[in-house]
Amino acid sequence: MPDTHEASGIAILLWAAEPEAPHRLATPFFHAAAAAAMDVPVEIYFTARSVHLLVPGVAQGLRASERFDKTVLDAMREAVSHGARLLACTDALHAQGIDPRGLIPECSGHGGAVQFMARASDLRWRTLVF
């Protein structure tokens, strides 16, 4: 019988995490990696301008701080290596003029408002918005 005091998963919405503000980009992935390392299912939903992070070369060229050696792509890969899933909003991709077929291989697929809201309305899941 599942423990009702434990979350079934963590859904993270990236809304204000955009390439133009690299200082905000590492934290969501560190939290995702931590939860996934604890064997908690993690889904990261990229929406608005955050979908640009899924374009090859973008996250690789960003660092949260000049004192931080890891790139944003390194942080994303760390989260994925622990089991987090990266999901791109198709509406956001379209709005940003990004071809959904040309995303980084770490992207697991697509997930938008309906999928995120399904997680947010499921009392067994926890949500974070960055």
Side-chain angles (χ1 to χ4, degrees):
M1 183 170 188
D3 185 347
T4 58
H5 294 90
E6 289 188 22
S8 293
I10 307 287
I12 298 174
L13 180 69
L14 298 183
W15 173 71
E18 54 192 16
E20 294 79 11
H23 60 282
R24 290 193 290 232
L25 296 180
T27 301
F29 302 110
F30 291 155
H31 285 273
M38 295 168 40
D39 293 324
V40 175
V42 176
E43 297 173 348
I44 305 172
Y45 293 84
F46 291 74
T47 189
R49 293 197 43 77
S50 73
V51 294
H52 286 276
L53 298 172
L54 299 171
V55 173
V58 174
Q60 183 63 39
L62 299 172
R63 285 185 167 65
S65 166
E66 58 195 37
R67 295 183 190 108
F68 196 61
D69 289 335
K70 286 184 181 179
T71 67
V72 172
L73 182 60
D74 293 333
M76 292 167 68
R77 286 179 172 160
E78 185 174 349
V80 169
S81 75
H82 288 293
R85 297 181 61 227
L86 309 182
L87 302 166
C89 174
T90 53
D91 288 337
L93 290 171
H94 179 71
Q96 297 299 317
I98 298 171
D99 184 347
R101 296 168 296 192
L103 304 178
I104 60 174
E106 291 81 6
C107 184
S108 302
H110 299 102
V114 172
Q115 292 86 350
F116 182 78
M117 292 311 297
R119 294 302 192 202
S121 65
D122 185 334
L123 298 178
R124 297 166 299 178
W125 278 70
R126 306 297 184 262
T127 57
L128 297 170
V129 178
F130 289 91

